[in-house]
Amino acid sequence: MTLDVSRREMPHSTDKSPRLAPGQRLTDGFPVLTYGGVPKIDLATWQFRIFGLVEDEVTLNWEQFMALPQSKSHSDIHCVTTWSRYDNDWEGVRIADMLSLVQVKPEAKHVMFHAYGGYTTNVPLDELLYNDALLAHTHDGAPLPLEHGGPLRGVVPHLYFWKSAKWVRGIELMAEERPGFWEMYGYHIHGDPWKEERYS
Ligand SMILES: Nc1nc2c(c(=O)[nH]1)N[C@H]1C(S)=C(S)[C@@H](COP(=O)(O)O)O[C@H]1N2
Ligand SMILES: [Mo]
């Protein structure tokens, strides 16, 4: 099956209000929240793998990744620790475009992001097809700083920011929902900021 990756608007750009999700406060800064250290990543050996419930697993090196169609998105960050940061400009590859490189099996309904360093987080497949969901290498016009996930991070802005994996190295397609790192330690399995899906 070829996934329907026709451009989709993320729900909060149309019907999520107020803009500041409940229980959040605005910050001008950009806090760093990492469990553990910053992994050492060499672009010469960097790889991104799409695997799991696909017909044809794909592995890209950095050059191949950067040759994919590039997109921009503008979105707000809502962190479960209650800070929000408006108006982030991201550049990278839409996750929908990444997924169109493979034939996703029809039973695939969820994904797990895998990151260098071992971090994982799960997201429903449908929700990664919104056009603001990116794998981003650039933030506010500059290469993504290492502590914020450079060279590449997930950006899934309609969910709490722990769903945006830094240092991503793969997407695994799965039939069933499976908890990622923070989800195993009590964070909500879904994480919608407007429903305050913080902890379970
Ligand atoms: N690989 C990895 N990705 C991660 C994390 C992490 O510890 N490791 N922390 C998550 C959490 S809890 C948050 S709030 C955001 C923080 O991103 P920032 O440090 O760029 O603000 O990254 C998410 N992605
Ligand atoms: Mo977080």
Side-chain angles (χ1 to χ4, degrees):
M1 176 191 79
T2 305
L3 208 61
D4 172 18
V5 294
S6 47
R7 301 291 168 243
R8 296 199 209 172
E9 289 302 320
M10 125 176 116
H12 92 231
S13 60
T14 49
D15 57 21
K16 293 238 165 145
S17 60
R19 182 175 181 185
L20 189 61
Q24 298 292 110
R25 59 195 156 67
L26 260 190
T27 175
D28 290 329
F30 194 177
V32 172
L33 281 113
T34 303
Y35 184 86
V38 173
K40 264 209 164 28
I41 300 171
D42 181 358
L43 280 189
T45 54
W46 181 93
Q47 288 196 324
F48 193 96
R49 185 169 163 234
I50 307 175
F51 63 105
L53 294 175
V54 296
E55 300 292 348
D56 44 356
E57 194 177 304
V58 161
T59 303
L60 301 176
N61 63 27
W62 185 254
E63 206 174 34
Q64 292 166 325
F65 175 79
M66 292 304 284
L68 296 173
Q70 302 287 311
S71 299
K72 296 182 181 191
S73 75
H74 184 90
S75 59
D76 299 341
I77 293 169
H78 300 283
C79 174
V80 72
T81 59
T82 74
W83 59 269
S84 291
R85 185 183 195 276
Y86 285 169
D87 296 318
N88 296 273
D89 283 307
W90 299 103
E91 293 176 46
V93 174
R94 282 191 178 125
I95 295 175
D97 288 336
M98 285 298 285
L99 291 172
S100 67
L101 298 175
V102 295
Q103 299 269 104
V104 174
K105 292 188 179 175
E107 60 268 35
K109 297 288 180 246
H110 292 272
V111 316
M112 188 73 81
F113 287 94
H114 293 264
Y116 284 100
Y119 187 85
T120 54
T121 188
N122 62 287
V123 178
L125 174 57
D126 263 2
E127 299 187 18
L128 292 176
L129 306 182
Y130 303 141
N131 56 19
D132 325 51
L134 296 191
L135 298 176
H137 50 67
T138 298
H139 176 260
D140 289 354
L144 192 58
L146 287 183
E147 67 273 19
H148 286 298
L152 193 74
R153 77 175 299 158
V155 177
V156 184
H158 72 287
L159 298 176
Y160 283 121
F161 206 36
W162 89 78
K163 296 289 189 180
S164 294
K166 303 194 278 190
W167 313 295
V168 270
R169 52 182 284 270
I171 293 178
E172 177 186 1
L173 284 294
M174 318 184 290
E176 307 291 337
E177 194 166 55
R178 209 169 83 213
F181 176 78
W182 281 122
E183 293 84 3
M184 275 192 293
Y185 286 101
Y187 282 27
H188 197 279
I189 194 76
H190 182 230
D192 182 334
W194 286 269
K195 296 181 180 155
E196 290 210 75
E197 292 174 342
R198 296 176 187 273
Y199 309 106
S200 57

